[in-house]
Amino acid sequence: MADCGEANGPERKNEIVRAKNEEKELTKEEKQRLRKEKKQQKKQKEKKDDKGSSEKSGREKTLDPLSASQVLSTQSPTQKVPASAPIPVPPSGAPSHSSGAPSHSSSGAPSPADKPAKSKAELKAERRARQEADRASKQQGSSSSSKTKAPASDLNPVVKRLPEHVQVDDPAVVKRLAKKLERQQIPLRSDYGYKVSLFSHLHQYSRKAPLTQLLSIPSSVIHPSIVRLGLQYSQGIVTGSNARSVALLHAFKQVIMDYSTPPNEELSRDLVNKLKPYISFLNQCRPLSASMGNAIKYIKKEISNIPSQYKEEEAKTKLLECIDKYIDEKVVLAAKAISKYAIEKISDGDVILVYGCSSLVNHILCEAFDKNRKFRVIVVDSRPRLEGREALRRLVQIGISCTYVLISALSYVLPEVSKVFLGAHALLANGYVMSRVGTSQIALVARAFNVPVLVCCETYKFCERVQTDSFVSNELDDPDELMVTRKGKTQLEDWHDLSTLGLLNLVYDVTPPDFVDLVITDLGMIPCTSVPVVLRVKNVDQ
Amino acid sequence: MDEDELVEYFRTQMRQDPEVPSAVAAIRTLLEFLKRDQSETILGLRENLTRTIGRLGEADSSVAVSSGGELFLRFISLTSLEHPDLSQCKKVMVERGELFLKKISLSRSKVAKFCHTFIKDGAKILTHSSSRVVLKVLESAAADKKRFTVYVTESQPDSAGQKMADKLRKLNIPVTVVLDAAVGYIMEKVDLVIVGAEGVVESGGIINKIGTYQLAVCSKAHNKPFYVVAESFKFVRLYPLNQQDVPDRFKYKADTLKAVEDLAEEHPMIDYTPPSLITLLFTDLGVLTPSAVSDELIKLYL
C-alpha cells in the first residue's frame, strides 16, 4: 500500500482532493482499484459502502510520509470545518489494516476508529450511520493504541496484532512519529547524548529538559492534571509500576470530571479521541509501562461501551465508578490476595532477600510481620537509582530487622538467605519476567546457590509481548545520572567531549523462567511457565 | 453419620479391596456421608463435608486422600445448584458424586494404556517401592507380549519393594530387588525409570515415597528418562519450594503425628521431586509434561 501510494503520490493526491471537493467524482474503476488494494492489506473486511471505503482509503493513501505534508494543509481546512472533532486528521495507515507493514503505523498510532466523516450535508449523515456501525464493531477489538499491547480484536481472532517496537534509528518511523505529534500539537522530545550502538533503537532523554518546558502555559491541548503527571513521570517523582498506573487512572478521573461533550458529538467516541493526545504526551514524557497499557486499554473499552442513551452526567459517574473499581480490584484487593498466599511461604526463622523497592513485596513483608512471623530481611540496592533505601526506610519503620547491601556484595550474602522475593514490572507471554535492571542478576546467582526465587505480580501486569532478551524493548534513562560527585570532583563531567565514550543507564531487564521457582499472583501460585495459560483464561473471561 | 463410623467405613473399604486407591475409598466414604447427611442448608453441608475430609486426612495421612476429597467437593459443586429444594440439590450432588467415582475407578487402566507403549521390547526398568499403578502398567506391557526386566528398590523402612517383587514374580516378569543405596550403581544398566506418585503438586513435581528424589537426581545425571504414572485425582494444590516446604501432615504417618511431640526425631515417609527432574507424567488426562500439570490444575480449579 505504501509503495503504490508513493509511486503515484502526486496524481492520486490531486485526484482525491478534487474528489473530495466534488464528492461523487471518483469513477467506478478508481473505486474498485482502491478497494482491491485495500483488500489485499486487510484479511477480513467488514461491510462498507463503496464511497465510504474509497474515501477513507484515498485519505489514507494521501497521508504517506512523502506527500503527507502537502496534503495536510489542504485537508485540514476542510476537516476543521465541522469543528467538533478535536483530532481532525485520521491516522496514517490504520494499524489493523496494515498488519503486514508494522512500520506504517508509528508507535502508538491511534486506532482507525476515530476517522470522522467530513462531507456535504446529506451524505454526511448516511456515511456517518454506516461508519458508526463499522466503528462500533472495530472499537470492541482494536481499542488499544499503545505499542506495548496486542489487542485480540474481534475482527481478526486468528491474526493477533503484536505490539509495536520502538525504532528510533529508523528515520521513516521517526518522521511519522513527528508528524503524528505535530498533528496532536504535542512537542517532540529530542534525544540527548551519545547512545550505545546496541540500544540506538531506543529513546534517550535528559531529565533536565522535561517536555513541559516546551509547552505553552496554559496548555490548550493537554489537560493540566496530565501535564502535572507527565512532569512527575519524567522527573522520577512517581516511580514504580503500581504507582504510575494508579496516578494515571486518577488523572484520567480528573479529565473525565472536567470533560463536557461538544455539541453533535457522542461521549463514547469523543472522549476516546480526547485521550489520545494525552497518552502520546505521557509516552513522550516517559515510555508507558505494561500495566499502564492494560489500564488504558480497559478505560478505552469502558468508554466505548457507554450506551448512547446515557446522559452525560450518568455516563461520567459510571466511568468514574469503573475506574475506582478497577483500581480497587486489580491493585488493592490483588495485593491482599497475594499477601495471603505469600505469607504461607514465609516461615519462622527465614532470611528473605529483596531487591530495590517493590510496593507489593513491601506490602507482603509488612503483612507477614503483622501476623507475627519471625524473619529478617536483606535489602539489595544498586546505583544510580538507589531505590532500596526507600524499601529499607519502610521496613525499618514497622520494626523488621534489615540488612542493607549493594548488589556487588550479592554472592557474599546469599549463603545465609533462605528465600528471594522479587517484584515485577510485567510478566511476558513466554514466561519471562521483566523487572528493574539487576533482577535477572539476582535470580541467576540465587539459582546457583539453590535459593528459591519467588516473583510477586498482579495479573493486570501480564502482557502479551514476547521477549527473550533485554535489548529488543527497554528504556534508557538519563546518562548524566551515572556521573557521581565526590569531594567536589565530578568524574565523567565532560563525557560528551569524548567521542568514543558512551554512558548506558538501563532501566529494565528480562529474567528467564528457569530461574524463577514460583510466581504468586492474585489467582494463586503458578509456575512461571503457566503465564500464557492465565492470559488465555483471562481473555476468555473478557 | 458421626466421625468414628466414617473412619470405620473408610477402613473397611480399604481392607475389603486392597487394590482400591485410598482416594477412591475416601470418596466412597464421602458419598456415603453425603447420602446420610442431615444438614438443612448447602453451606452446612459443605462445612460438614470439609470437616469430614479433614477427619479422614487425620485417619490416613496420604496426600491422595486430601486431594481426592478436595476434588470431589469441587466436582459436585461445580455447577450452580439452582434448585431451591435442598433434597433436590442433594440428589443432584449424589448423582454427580457417583459419576465422579465411576470415572476415577477407570483411571488406572487409562493410565496403563498410555504408558505401556513407552516400554520397548528388551527394556530394563527401574522402579521404586510398591505402586499399584506401576504394577498395572507393567501388567499391560506384559500382556502385550513385551519382554522386559524390572529392578525394584527395597524401599526401607517398610520393605515395600519386596512386596512389589512378589507381585511381579506372580506375573512371570523377571525381577531383581536392589538396595536403596545401590541406585547409583544400577543406573547405568537401566533404560528407563518409572515411579508412581502419592500426589502431584502444582509445579508439576511429585510427592512420593522417600528415596524417589535421589532416584530422580541419579537418572538425570545419567540422562535416563524419568516417568511418573499417576491418576488425575492425585493433583493437589500444594506448591513446595523444597523438601522442607512439604507440610508435616503428609510427611509422617497419621499415628506418628498424634503420638510423637518432637518430629525432628522421626523419619519422614515421603519426599518431593521437583519438576525439572521429571521427563513425562502419564495421567488419565493424557501424557503431560510437568509444566502442563499447572495448566490442567488451572482448568480444574479456576
Side-chain angles (χ1 to χ4, degrees):
Chain A
M1 194 168 171
D3 293 335
C4 54
E6 281 172 39
N8 16 5
E11 305 109 38
R12 294 229 49 54
K13 172 198 78 176
N14 288 329
E15 280 169 5
I16 286 153
V17 168
R18 194 184 1 110
K20 277 172 47 56
N21 294 333
E22 293 163 74
E23 268 317 288
K24 300 160 200 167
E25 295 306 302
L26 273 180
T27 61
K28 270 275 182 318
E29 300 113 66
E30 301 227 49
K31 283 185 221 159
Q32 278 175 5
R33 185 161 38 98
L34 288 167
R35 228 179 299 135
K36 247 187 233 143
E37 278 159 2
K38 243 181 111 180
K39 265 186 190 149
Q40 279 163 12
Q41 312 305 320
K42 294 198 286 192
K43 303 281 184 198
Q44 291 168 35
K45 222 163 142 39
E46 305 152 279
K47 55 206 180 309
K48 274 189 178 75
D49 66 308
D50 297 349
K51 281 207 197 83
S53 61
S54 54
E55 267 261 79
K56 195 164 59 81
S57 55
R59 219 178 285 134
E60 278 168 355
K61 288 219 164 162
T62 60
L63 290 176
D64 274 331
L66 293 180
S67 45
S69 46
Q70 302 134 327
V71 181
L72 230 72
S73 44
T74 53
Q75 274 195 343
S76 29
T78 52
Q79 283 162 356
K80 280 214 169 74
V81 163
S84 32
I87 322 291
V89 182
S92 57
S96 68
H97 299 334
S98 56
S99 49
S103 60
H104 202 98
S105 59
S106 52
S107 56
S111 70
D114 48 332
K115 49 196 171 328
K118 309 283 185 273
S119 46
K120 312 285 165 63
E122 312 106 1
L123 290 159
K124 177 180 180 176
E126 247 182 86
R127 212 174 292 119
R128 228 356 179 12
R130 273 182 235 115
Q131 280 180 347
E132 240 166 273
D134 298 345
R135 221 171 286 145
S137 53
K138 247 196 280 169
Q139 264 182 351
Q140 303 304 343
S142 53
S143 50
S144 81
S145 65
S146 161
K147 64 179 185 286
T148 57
K149 300 183 298 293
S153 143
D154 286 333
L155 300 183
N156 21 349
V158 177
V159 179
K160 240 192 192 162
R161 187 187 134 220
L162 288 170
E164 306 291 340
H165 285 300
V166 185
Q167 283 279 111
V168 174
D169 51 359
D170 183 358
V173 174
V174 176
K175 236 191 217 168
R176 227 167 282 137
L177 175 64
K179 292 280 173 338
K180 183 182 122 204
L181 290 176
E182 202 183 301
R183 248 182 284 128
Q184 292 175 340
Q185 296 168 293
I186 295 169
L188 174 67
R189 202 170 178 192
S190 49
D191 283 352
Y192 168 75
Y194 172 72
K195 273 194 275 188
V196 174
S197 61
L198 263 177
F199 294 94
S200 57
H201 62 285
L202 300 170
H203 289 291
Q204 182 171 278
Y205 301 129
S206 165
R207 287 249 172 114
K208 295 198 198 68
L211 198 57
T212 45
Q213 279 177 352
L214 303 169
L215 283 178
S216 60
I217 291 177
S219 164
S220 50
V221 180
I222 316 275
H223 190 280
S225 58
I226 301 279
V227 175
R228 184 176 66 176
L229 188 64
L231 189 61
Q232 284 173 332
Y233 282 168
S234 64
Q235 299 301 98
I237 299 170
V238 174
T239 51
S241 198
N242 275 341
R244 283 166 67 189
S245 311
V246 173
L248 177 73
L249 289 170
H250 281 304
F252 275 177
K253 271 172 68 176
Q254 189 62 46
V255 169
I256 291 175
M257 278 195 275
D258 295 340
Y259 171 75
S260 52
T261 328
N264 295 332
E265 282 292 333
E266 259 196 55
L267 180 132
S268 54
R269 245 173 292 125
D270 188 55
L271 188 52
V272 178
N273 291 346
K274 264 252 163 58
L275 290 180
K276 288 197 187 7
Y278 300 164
I279 295 168
S280 306
F281 172 73
L282 291 174
N283 206 10
Q284 286 288 95
C285 291
R286 195 178 158 190
L288 297 180
S289 65
S291 51
M292 289 165 73
N294 285 343
I296 291 173
K297 200 156 81 165
Y298 173 78
I299 290 191
K300 284 193 171 168
K301 192 168 80 109
E302 285 300 311
I303 294 177
S304 42
N305 282 345
I306 298 265
S308 44
Q309 60 265 29
Y310 269 39
K311 289 196 277 292
E312 191 176 310
E313 282 314 308
E314 259 186 270
K316 285 188 353 184
T317 3
K318 179 163 181 305
L319 282 174
L320 294 176
E321 266 174 31
C322 280
I323 293 183
D324 280 333
K325 194 170 77 114
Y326 187 82
I327 297 179
D328 211 25
E329 261 179 41
K330 306 283 179 179
V331 182
V332 178
L333 288 178
K336 284 211 186 87
I338 294 177
S339 318
K340 193 169 70 92
Y341 291 119
I343 287 174
E344 284 170 37
K345 289 292 169 201
I346 300 178
S347 22
D348 287 344
D350 262 350
V351 179
I352 298 177
L353 187 132
V354 299
Y355 177 64
C357 183
S358 164
S359 54
L360 188 54
V361 173
N362 291 340
H363 184 260
I364 291 173
L365 294 176
C366 296
E367 288 278 308
F369 189 75
D370 287 337
K371 293 211 167 41
N372 292 322
R373 291 278 200 279
K374 307 272 175 293
F375 58 91
R376 67 185 178 88
V377 175
I378 299 182
V379 179
V380 177
D381 203 4
S382 70
R383 277 198 68 231
R385 286 170 172 245
L386 291 174
E387 289 169 331
R389 294 189 177 177
E390 175 59 30
L392 186 66
R393 195 179 61 82
R394 288 190 207 170
L395 294 174
V396 168
Q397 218 168 32
I398 64 164
I400 303 179
S401 50
C402 301
T403 314
Y404 177 84
V405 292
L406 288 181
I407 195 166
S408 26
L410 187 59
S411 49
Y412 179 72
V413 286
L414 259 174
E416 47 183 75
V417 171
S418 57
K419 293 190 180 69
V420 176
F421 271 79
L422 299 172
H425 171 253
L427 239 57
L428 306 176
N430 55 350
Y432 280 64
V433 179
M434 182 178 224
S435 186
R436 188 65 85 221
V437 65
T439 312
S440 67
Q441 184 71 58
I442 306 239
L444 175 65
V445 184
R447 165 66 63 178
F449 280 89
N450 259 329
V451 175
V453 174
L454 287 74
V455 169
C456 308
C457 183
E458 300 96 331
T459 45
Y460 86 107
K461 289 185 191 159
F462 282 21
C463 164
E464 296 271 347
R465 197 149 37 116
V466 170
Q467 242 182 280
T468 52
D469 58 53
S470 318
F471 301 110
V472 157
S473 177
N474 208 325
E475 197 186 319
L476 294 176
D477 210 356
D478 191 353
D480 289 339
E481 301 264 306
L482 290 182
M483 296 196 290
V484 63
T485 309
R486 264 193 246 283
K487 298 184 194 165
K489 268 207 320 187
T490 311
Q491 311 283 33
L492 296 173
E493 204 168 11
D494 28 7
W495 71 274
H496 292 286
D497 303 334
L498 292 165
S499 59
T500 47
L501 180 62
L503 295 188
L504 180 64
N505 191 356
L506 273 181
V507 181
Y508 297 118
D509 71 12
V510 147
T511 310
D514 336 326
F515 295 155
V516 177
D517 288 293
L518 171 61
V519 175
I520 309 183
T521 68
D522 36 321
L523 291 173
M525 298 193 268
I526 58 173
C528 225
T529 45
S530 289
V531 169
V533 180
V534 171
L535 277 170
R536 199 196 330 142
V537 166
K538 262 191 355 154
N539 282 339
V540 165
D541 281 345
Q542 286 165 359
Chain B
M1 191 182 193
D2 75 338
E3 313 210 320
D4 296 326
E5 269 184 52
L6 264 175
V7 179
E8 209 25 67
Y9 188 89
F10 175 68
R11 292 235 169 87
T12 339
Q13 292 275 329
M14 295 285 283
R15 246 174 312 171
Q16 277 173 352
D17 186 4
E19 286 300 306
V20 75
S22 48
V24 175
I27 290 169
R28 280 209 195 111
T29 320
L30 287 172
L31 206 53
E32 193 55 42
F33 172 79
L34 185 61
K35 284 184 194 146
R36 296 194 211 170
D37 183 57
Q38 308 288 348
S39 47
E40 301 289 311
T41 63
I42 300 252
L43 196 59
L45 184 60
R46 266 190 90 87
E47 275 177 18
N48 284 346
L49 272 174
T50 326
R51 216 192 22 242
T52 324
I53 294 174
R55 187 72 186 79
L56 279 176
E58 278 175 39
D60 179 344
S61 70
S62 66
V63 183
V65 168
S66 134
S67 68
E70 211 183 312
L71 273 168
F72 176 75
L73 201 56
R74 188 100 192 138
F75 194 79
I76 60 177
S77 45
L78 200 54
T79 54
S80 53
L81 300 160
E82 280 168 355
H83 310 270
D85 186 12
L86 183 67
S87 51
Q88 272 275 57
C89 279
K90 268 178 72 170
K91 212 155 60 92
V92 169
M93 283 169 119
V94 168
E95 268 169 32
R96 310 196 70 222
E98 305 267 348
L99 186 63
F100 186 63
L101 200 58
K102 203 157 51 130
K103 252 183 29 156
I104 63 177
S105 316
L106 301 168
S107 48
R108 217 179 257 169
S109 20
K110 275 195 217 157
V111 176
K113 202 159 56 117
F114 281 124
C115 188
H116 80 259
T117 47
F118 279 71
I119 300 175
K120 301 197 176 51
D121 217 17
K124 295 197 201 61
I125 303 173
L126 176 59
T127 184
H128 183 66
S129 186
S130 170
S131 164
R132 286 166 294 198
V133 192
V134 177
L135 192 61
K136 190 101 179 78
V137 168
L138 297 175
E139 214 182 293
S140 23
D144 213 16
K145 307 271 190 298
K146 293 214 179 102
R147 285 162 300 178
F148 53 91
T149 49
V150 181
Y151 297 92
V152 189
T153 57
E154 205 182 22
S155 172
Q156 297 291 7
D158 54 358
S159 290
Q162 299 282 6
K163 284 190 233 132
M164 181 77 165
D166 292 331
K167 288 189 219 161
L168 283 168
R169 273 189 208 104
K170 284 205 199 85
L171 295 168
N172 287 329
I173 299 173
V175 58
T176 318
V177 178
V178 297
L179 293 172
D180 295 334
V183 162
Y185 173 79
I186 204 85
M187 192 54 79
E188 54 189 37
K189 285 201 214 157
V190 301
D191 298 318
L192 64 149
V193 182
I194 305 183
V195 297
E198 296 205 22
V200 178
V201 294
E202 274 192 80
S203 57
I206 60 164
I207 294 184
N208 199 21
K209 184 79 183 297
I210 189 106
T212 315
Y213 180 52
Q214 63 203 34
L215 198 59
V217 174
C218 268
S219 61
K220 183 86 185 200
H222 284 265
N223 285 322
K224 309 283 181 186
F226 185 85
Y227 298 132
V228 172
V229 286
E231 301 98 314
S232 64
F233 56 78
K234 289 185 178 160
F235 285 18
V236 69
R237 295 217 76 182
L238 273 180
Y239 202 126
L241 295 171
N242 45 30
Q243 304 298 338
Q244 269 191 320
D245 222 7
V246 180
D248 279 342
R249 66 180 197 276
F250 297 134
K251 275 203 234 180
Y252 307 98
K253 280 206 177 334
D255 332 334
T256 334
L257 280 170
K258 275 182 272 200
V260 176
E261 292 98 43
D262 186 11
L263 284 172
E265 300 285 314
E266 288 299 313
H267 202 278
M269 293 301 290
I270 57 160
D271 64 17
Y272 164 68
T273 307
S276 46
L277 302 171
I278 300 174
T279 323
L280 286 177
L281 284 122
F282 297 92
T283 69
D284 48 326
L285 300 167
V287 183
L288 307 171
T289 55
S291 30
V293 170
S294 172
D295 196 343
E296 292 296 325
L297 270 170
I298 290 179
K299 275 195 261 183
L300 281 173
Y301 279 106
L302 285 180

